[in-house]
Amino acid sequence: METASAGLVPDAEEECSAELVEWADIIFVMEKAHRTKLKRRFGAHLKRARVICLDIPDDYAFMQPELVALLERKVGAVSVTDAM
């Protein structure tokens, strides 16, 4: 399994790109607004990737322990076969 992380804002450390979206099998977003923005910007490139919204408010600091725990719980609950 390979993973990558990217943001949808221009000042993201790694900004999301069409190439990255096309590469992905599964894309996790934290909020519904992120899913909407992703589909608006990269809809033509989302032919095979499944977008899963984790419903986690995007108001945590990078690697904040509470965020890490939420991500582990919510992402861990999604099996690869369910997500495809």
Side-chain angles (χ1 to χ4, degrees):
M1 183 179 301
E2 292 182 56
T3 63
S5 177
L8 292 167
V9 294
D11 64 342
E13 188 172 320
E14 177 70 34
E15 190 173 359
C16 191
S17 67
E19 294 80 18
L20 195 54
V21 169
E22 289 175 353
W23 169 82
D25 293 317
I26 304 169
I27 299 172
F28 291 99
V29 295
M30 291 179 65
E31 299 180 334
K32 290 176 183 149
H34 297 151
R35 179 176 50 204
T36 300
K37 190 172 187 177
L38 180 76
K39 288 183 177 183
R40 190 175 341 114
R41 285 180 58 192
F42 300 107
H45 304 279
L46 283 168
K47 294 177 181 145
R48 68 181 195 119
R50 170 127 187 247
V51 180
I52 298 173
C53 181
L54 299 173
D55 290 318
I56 297 173
D58 191 12
D59 57 5
Y60 292 92
F62 179 71
M63 297 302 289
Q64 184 174 338
E66 296 86 357
L67 173 60
V68 173
L70 275 170
L71 289 169
E72 287 174 345
R73 189 175 79 242
K74 291 196 173 208
V75 173
V78 177
S79 74
V80 174
T81 54
D82 289 340
M84 298 183 99

